[in-house]
Amino acid sequence: MAVYLVTGGAGFIGSHIVEALVRQGHQVRVLDNFSTGREDNLAAVRDQIDLRRADIRDAEGIGPCFEGVDYVVHEAALASVERSMTDPLTSNAVNIGGTLNVLVTGRNAGVRRVVFAGSSSAYGNGTALPRVESLESRPLSPYALTKVTGEHYCEMFMTLYGLETVSLRYFNIFGPRQNLNSQYSGVISIFLGAYLRGETPILYGDGEQMRDFTFVDNAVEATLRACTAPAAAGKIINIGAGKGQTLNQVIERLNDVLGSHLTPRHAPPRPGDVRSSYADISLARSILDYEPRIGFEEGLRRTVEWSRSQFASKGTV
Ligand code: UD1
């Protein structure tokens, strides 16, 4: 049993990580400022965790959360390419300033390792597919830049201070608890939310952009392995399903699962948008013994089921 600190532990991916750690019998502390995270996400484990409200932009405020911690899983961030285009200052402050605070505080507290939630957006629009970690990073948006900078800081803290760090480049994670009612959420949840509210979703571009949609449980498993796998220290590792799908294909699958005919309205492509992206997951396979065990369609079914239950219990989403 070890002590884990999950920053952003009340958020979409973070709360799934917290649950998995509790299931494994670890002692779990959660740090969240509840700006996008929600205490509801932790309902199943609320009495088994140490939940602290703090903001990673506040270096002093987060200090006590790190006392006695072995592993830090750093998920706190402001997601969304679009949000970062609208408000680059806040994305920068949280994702870069906040990450630096987490690294400094982790180093000072003597934690064993920090695992950082990076992003596939690091690759930008290079032509090589699948995306392999040896490719040059080419951020196209402030969000992508913040995530690449986080990776650089992680590498630097390992080189300069001997703090073990791992950066995981998550590829378009989806699943239960992703926000159904925010323009800054992932596209699958945005479409599901619109469907349940009886609205018409917007499809930016021709729908032929490709993404590696990865079910959240797969990312959680990879993240837990990254905390302890000896060979992961100092690495940047892709975490995806290893397959690309166009948005048009995703809409078809969604219609199959929903038994409906969701027809989005088209709008011009969004600035900062990547055209095509899917992961080479060989490194994750070899270093983390990672395998994306839950397939896309099973993941989609579980996400639809959860979304419907949210709608049923609240009357809206
Ligand atoms: C990017 C990263 C991803 C990261 C995420 C965090 C890439 C390839 N992926 O996701 O790793 O986890 O940021 O926020 O950079 N779209 C619509 N209608 C909508 C919303 C989105 O058509 O209402 C389109 C977008 O224009 C985009 C695609 O759907 O082409 C996916 O968008 P989104 O879910 O926001 O994720 P990315 O920006 O791809």
Side-chain angles (χ1 to χ4, degrees):
M1 193 186 83
V3 181
Y4 282 78
L5 172 66
V6 184
T7 72
F12 160 47
I13 303 176
S15 64
H16 286 281
I17 291 172
V18 169
E19 279 187 359
L21 287 168
V22 168
R23 269 199 304 274
Q24 289 188 353
H26 295 294
Q27 203 175 313
V28 187
R29 200 171 290 160
V30 170
L31 184 169
D32 209 296
N33 71 349
F34 299 100
S35 67
T36 59
R38 301 172 33 184
E39 199 167 335
D40 268 8
N41 288 339
L42 294 166
V45 290
R46 181 63 192 91
D47 54 356
Q48 295 165 78
I49 58 170
D50 176 1
L51 178 58
R52 313 229 182 147
R53 180 187 290 266
D55 191 310
I56 55 169
R57 286 169 290 187
D58 174 10
E60 273 178 34
I62 63 173
C65 302
F66 286 70
E67 279 164 26
V69 166
D70 298 304
Y71 302 104
V72 178
V73 182
H74 177 37
E75 300 287 325
L78 279 179
S80 172
V81 167
E82 195 191 343
R83 185 205 305 267
S84 78
M85 307 278 300
T86 313
D87 180 8
L89 281 175
T90 312
S91 291
N92 189 90
V94 174
N95 297 359
I96 298 182
T99 295
L100 183 56
N101 287 337
V102 166
L103 289 168
V104 169
T105 315
R107 179 203 62 183
N108 292 346
V111 305
R112 286 199 221 169
R113 188 176 281 189
V114 176
V115 174
F116 169 65
S119 165
S120 66
S121 58
Y123 293 108
N125 265 340
T127 48
L129 283 169
R131 304 290 193 216
V132 64
E133 292 87 345
S134 54
L135 290 167
E136 193 191 338
S137 40
R138 291 184 187 173
L140 294 180
S141 62
Y143 172 76
L145 183 64
T146 66
K147 288 295 179 176
V148 171
T149 306
E151 293 176 353
H152 283 301
Y153 265 128
C154 284
E155 287 182 328
M156 194 169 277
F157 267 65
M158 182 137 163
T159 313
L160 295 183
Y161 307 111
L163 172 65
E164 285 194 5
T165 59
V166 186
S167 295
L168 300 178
R169 283 187 179 165
Y170 292 143
F171 279 68
N172 291 73
I173 314 298
F174 74 99
R177 298 193 199 131
Q178 193 166 37
N179 198 327
L180 295 165
N181 195 11
S182 160
Q183 67 182 114
Y184 300 134
S185 190
V187 66
I188 292 180
S189 301
I190 290 177
F191 280 13
L192 269 171
Y195 167 78
L196 290 166
R197 292 190 299 270
E199 297 165 2
T200 305
I202 301 169
L203 176 53
Y204 297 107
D206 60 5
E208 287 304 297
Q209 61 267 53
M210 185 185 277
R211 293 289 186 275
D212 185 340
F213 289 101
T214 306
F215 188 60
V216 63
D217 286 19
N218 297 328
V220 169
E221 206 174 308
T223 306
L224 299 202
R225 287 165 186 254
C227 291
T228 52
K235 298 282 195 307
I236 292 173
I237 308 171
N238 286 343
I239 303 299
K243 286 182 208 142
Q245 297 188 76
T246 65
L247 272 191
N248 290 328
Q249 288 170 329
V250 168
I251 291 164
E252 263 177 51
R253 300 268 150 72
L254 206 48
N255 280 331
D256 292 343
V257 177
L258 291 169
S260 73
H261 200 75
L262 192 130
T263 317
R265 179 162 64 79
H266 281 265
R270 293 201 294 207
D273 220 24
V274 167
R275 182 65 180 168
S276 291
S277 152
Y278 69 97
D280 180 317
I281 52 172
S282 323
L283 191 64
R285 283 196 165 111
S286 69
I287 291 188
L288 304 177
D289 201 16
Y290 163 75
E291 205 49 56
R293 287 187 303 119
I294 314 280
F296 178 73
E297 283 173 20
E298 174 58 21
L300 201 55
R301 268 192 293 278
R302 293 190 197 181
T303 310
V304 166
E305 197 178 314
W306 173 81
S307 307
R308 283 191 160 135
S309 73
Q310 291 291 298
F311 189 79
S313 67
K314 295 180 184 156
T316 185
V317 285

